[in-house]
């Protein structure tokens, strides 16, 4: 025992003053242990892995600029008259909240810049979260053991949308009030309890005098706290699971190939924070965002043309725009999607578009890891990612979902599409309504075919090499195109993937193939029946053996290796 | 008198009385209020202007609007539209119309100022109608804040709160008001061209119209304090910008950061 305790006594004597200081801290806090553990975390290098970082940095910028804005913003809906320096609003009656937003923009030094940094960072935050999610989906990074982290990511994007929407509503300008009115309408369309919820939320009939203060509390306290919590859980799980990596020589499910956090990634990530900050600051410095002075104070009667939510709520707004209010006519009477049942109005023309598409998107998003796991019966851990083309059906499902989202997203700007492309607004709506149903199906088919075609191209290149574009005439008159074979590293990427065959229905522990299992087998067939098998070593051998233009090839090979 | 009093219990007496009452109050209102009165053209046009205008009209407009501007299947009657309508439609190049479509579009004006003036003189001579505004209305010295309020309540739903324009149904649209002259803005309000409603003097007084023009000219001459306006189209252009320019720059940096020197 005594030997151990003496070993624990540090005999290290720092030479410099700074060294003694850090040693003092280290002996009491134990920072070097943490640094040793984290500093050795290895992260693989790929540009597509950095969107999560962009989101995190945008969020940090949001917290900093948001704190600044809270110093000057007053979330009161009391009425006042504007006496600031923006003359087109001088002496106009408005809420204190809008007045303080205008004062931030025109009277507070640097206030407009901070507001614009905050808003651009918010748009970039949700955009980078979305791109990060797309990357994770299309590379299969949500598979075991990361299913729960995928769910945390899904919660994060909902929270990001909530943070964005509550913030969008705070300035109490015409645009934000119109947005709130739509939310109020959607809430009121919920059967039976809708009106009660609306009155509870707004403290009486819309717009009331309470909503801005309430949204403010949500925006600066509850939602950011939840985001921070979820970000902590998200990052903790990244540390536990370690980072995924793209397939490559020497990479497998038991290792991570890349650079350590310290010093390489610490420097890169630290620098990248300032790059993101710089890009956002440049956007905020040179490009107007949310010019609240254009919109005027909120007043329930006017609705400006071109009233849209921020981009991340656009798809829900688009769904509302796509929904027909009238479904044809029966005996000359227009049939509305609105029914009165026991004195309660059921307005399906609001309820359906507001809840159903979002319900579909988020249900599929949250359950997808388990859906795929059930179909494939794949219970192994995956740390090496799929290239999207090597999982054609998953890629196709992702593209179908993406198009479903994008059609609604486009519908939110249907009026601007009409004016800028000089087409009829009605035609834009009709086309988008058709695409709402047809688009995902077409997207699925096309994406799957493209993925399979790319796999075949990979197969060709792995077997016969890269087409050089050089045409050579042989002595007996035949023309051939010279193919340059790949080096081993490049070829590895093209051949090292799994292409599972459909898994037939398996008997359960009683030796019975039950109905659910037969259904799963059908899905498995659907998922895996179209496949391009990876090249076997024997095939590669055969392809090279029949290469009768070996001499030409060898010359090319040295060239391709030399760069 | 006796004959009248004998018929006072006639079944139609009540109706006759009601009609008389309506006629009386309506007449009194019309006499007292000048709001809806078709104003005689205050601007004076010489006889030669009218004569020259008629020649231009016959040569260029009568195919659709008919001889004497009384209208045909292809174009409406112009009797009573006033000089303001001519100055707006011809002055902005909308008329003569380039092609059939959901609405007449702006193009370089076909007639010079003098010819437009002559055409206006001719049309104004047919019947009284709204006239070209005087310099006071279009001087841009009204109350911009009041004009802004009126603009948001009356105009923004089609023209956008920043007057950047917006879509209407079936290919029609409310154009952007940037670069539109003060006189043309006023004339559009009083004549209601294309799909625009008429904002009569009872609806928005001439002084209020002056305020609206002042507001539009104020926001036009003051660039956005926040930098480039991205078309003043609201969140759509902002979202498009962050997804294209913003994210493209960020992706450029990520590729740079993760590239290896080879």
């Amino acid at each position: 025992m005594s030997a151990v305790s003496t070993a624990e006594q540090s005999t290290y004597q720092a030479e410099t003053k700074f060294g003694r200081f850090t040693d003092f801290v280290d002996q009491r806090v134990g920072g070097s242990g943490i640094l040793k553990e984290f500093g050795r975390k290895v992260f693989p290098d790929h540009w597509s892995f950095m969107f999560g970082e962009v989101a995190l940095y945008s969020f940090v910028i949001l917290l900093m600029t948001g704190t600044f804005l809270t110093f000057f913003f007053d979330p009161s809906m009391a009425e006042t008259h504007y006496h600031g320096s923006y003359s087109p609003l001088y002496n106009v009656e408005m809420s204190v909240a809008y007045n303080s937003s205008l004062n931030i923009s025109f009277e507070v030094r640097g206030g407009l810049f901070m507001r614009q940094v905050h808003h651009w960072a918010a748009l970039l935050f949700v955009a980078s979260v979305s791109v990060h999610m797309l990357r994770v989906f299309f590379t299969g990074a949500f598979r075991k053991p990361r299913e729960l982290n995928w769910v945390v990511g899904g919660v994060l994007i909902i929270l990001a949308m909530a943070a964005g929407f509550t913030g969008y509503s705070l300035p109490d300008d015409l645009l934000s009030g119109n947005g709130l009115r739509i939310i109020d309408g959607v809430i009121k369309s919920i059967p039976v309890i809708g009106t009660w919820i609306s009155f509870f939320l707004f403290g009486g009939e819309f717009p009331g005098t309470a909503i801005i203060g309430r949204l403010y509390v949500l925006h600066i306290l509850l939602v950011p706290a939840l985001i921070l919590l979820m970000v902590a859980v998200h990052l903790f799980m990244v540390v536990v699971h370690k980072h995924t990596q793209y397939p490559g020589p020497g990479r497998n499910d038991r290792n991570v190939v890349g650079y350590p956090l310290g010093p390489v990634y610490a420097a890169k990530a630290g620098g990248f924070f300032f790059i993101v900050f710089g890009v956002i600051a440049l956007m905020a410095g040179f490009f107007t965002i949310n010019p609240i002075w254009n919109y005027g104070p909120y007043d329930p009667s006017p609705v400006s043309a071109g009233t849209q939510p921020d981009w991340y709520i656009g798809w829900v707004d688009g769904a509302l725009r796509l929904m027909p209010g009238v479904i044809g006519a029966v005996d000359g009477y227009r049939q509305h999607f609105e029914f009165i049942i026991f004195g309660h109005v059921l307005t399906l023309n609001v309820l359906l578009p507001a809840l159903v598409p979002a319900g579909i998107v988020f249900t599929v998003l949250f359950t997808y890891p388990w859906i795929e796991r059930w179909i494939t019966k794949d219970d192994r851990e995956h740390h090496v990612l799929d290239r999207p083309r090597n999982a054609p059906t998953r890629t196709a499902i992702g593209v179908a979902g993406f198009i479903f989202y994008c059609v609604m997203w486009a519908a939110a700007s249907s009026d601007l599409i009409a004016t800028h492309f000089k087409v009829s607004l009605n035609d834009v709506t009709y086309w988008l309504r058709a695409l709402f149903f047809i688009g995902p199906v077409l997207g699925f088919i096309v994406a799957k075919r493209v993925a399979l075609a790319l796999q075949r191209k990979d197969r060709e290149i792995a077997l016969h090499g890269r087409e050089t574009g050089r045409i050579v005439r042989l002595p007996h008159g035949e023309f051939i195109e010279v193919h340059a074979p790949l080096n081993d590293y490049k070829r590895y990427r093209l051949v090292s993937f799994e292409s599972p065959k459909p898994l037939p229905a398996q008997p359960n522990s009683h030796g019975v193939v039950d109905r659910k299992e037969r259904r799963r087998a059908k899905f498995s067939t659907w998922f895996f029946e179209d496949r391009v098998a990876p090249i076997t070593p024997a095939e590669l051998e055969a392809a090279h053996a029949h290469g009768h233009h070996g001499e030409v090839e060898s010359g090319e090979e040295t060239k391709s290796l030399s760069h | 008198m006796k004959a009248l009093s004998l018929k006072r219990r006639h079944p139609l007496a009540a109706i006759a009385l009601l009609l008389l009452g309506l006629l009386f109050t309506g007449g009194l209102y019309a006499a007292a209020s000048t709001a809806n009165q078709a104003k005689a053209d205050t601007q004076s046009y010489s006889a030669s202007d009218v004569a020259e205008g008629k020649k231009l009209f016959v040569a260029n407009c009568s195919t659709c609007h008919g001889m004497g501007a009384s209208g045909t299947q292809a174009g409406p009657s112009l009797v009573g539209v006033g000089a303001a309508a001519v100055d707006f439609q011809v002055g902005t190049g909308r008329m003569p119309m380039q092609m059939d479509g959901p609405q007449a579009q702006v193009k370089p004006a076909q007639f010079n100022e003098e010819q437009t003036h002559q055409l206006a003189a001719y049309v104004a001579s047919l019947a009284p109608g709204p006239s070209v505004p005087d310099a006071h209305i279009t001087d841009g010295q009204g109350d911009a804040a009041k004009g802004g309020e009126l603009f948001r309540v009356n105009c923004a739903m089609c023209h956008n709160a920043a007057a950047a324009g917006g879509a209407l149904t079936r290919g029609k649209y409310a154009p952007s008001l940037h670069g539109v002259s003060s006189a043309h803005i006023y004339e559009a309000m009083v004549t209601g061209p294309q799909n625009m409603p008429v904002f009569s003097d009872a609806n928005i007084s001439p002084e209020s119209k002056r305020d609206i023009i002042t507001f539009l000219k104020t926001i036009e001459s003051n660039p956005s304090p926040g930098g480039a306006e991205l078309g003043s189209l609201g969140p759509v252009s902002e979202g498009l910008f962050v997804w294209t320019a913003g994210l493209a720059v960020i992706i450029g940096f990520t590729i740079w950061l993760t590239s290896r020197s080879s």
Side-chain angles (χ1 to χ4, degrees), chain A residues 116-134:
Chain A
Q116 300 206 133
V117 169
H118 193 71
H119 207 138
W120 280 122
L123 294 197
L124 187 67
F125 174 55
V126 197
S128 50
V129 170
S130 312
V131 178
H132 179 59
M133 277 200 119
L134 288 171

Side-chain angles (χ1 to χ4, degrees), chain A residues 343-365:
Chain A
H344 291 284
V345 181
L346 185 64
T347 61
L348 290 180
N349 47 13
V350 176
L351 193 64
L352 285 182
L355 299 184
V356 172
I360 293 172
V361 166
F362 283 115
T363 307
V364 173
L365 188 141

Side-chain angles (χ1 to χ4, degrees), chain A residues 445-519:
Chain A
I445 295 168
V446 171
K448 191 167 173 182
R449 290 299 128 190
V450 168
L452 289 167
L454 285 170
Q455 276 188 297
R456 282 195 202 95
K457 180 189 141 227
D458 281 358
R459 197 184 150 84
E460 275 300 303
I461 291 174
L463 282 177
H464 305 298
R466 177 176 59 85
E467 292 175 359
T468 59
R470 264 181 64 208
I471 310 293
V472 173
R473 191 182 185 196
L474 299 180
H476 59 274
E478 182 191 353
F479 286 98
I480 57 157
E481 184 182 11
V482 178
H483 284 236
L486 300 174
N487 64 39
D488 288 345
Y489 294 99
K490 285 186 174 166
R491 188 186 298 117
Y492 183 88
R493 239 162 59 89
L494 304 184
V495 298
S496 68
F497 66 94
E498 283 183 2
S499 178
K501 293 176 185 161
L503 185 68
Q506 308 286 313
N508 60 17
S509 53
H510 302 291
V512 182
V513 178
D514 59 17
R515 184 182 286 182
K516 193 180 163 199
E517 178 62 17
R518 275 202 294 276
R519 203 180 308 140

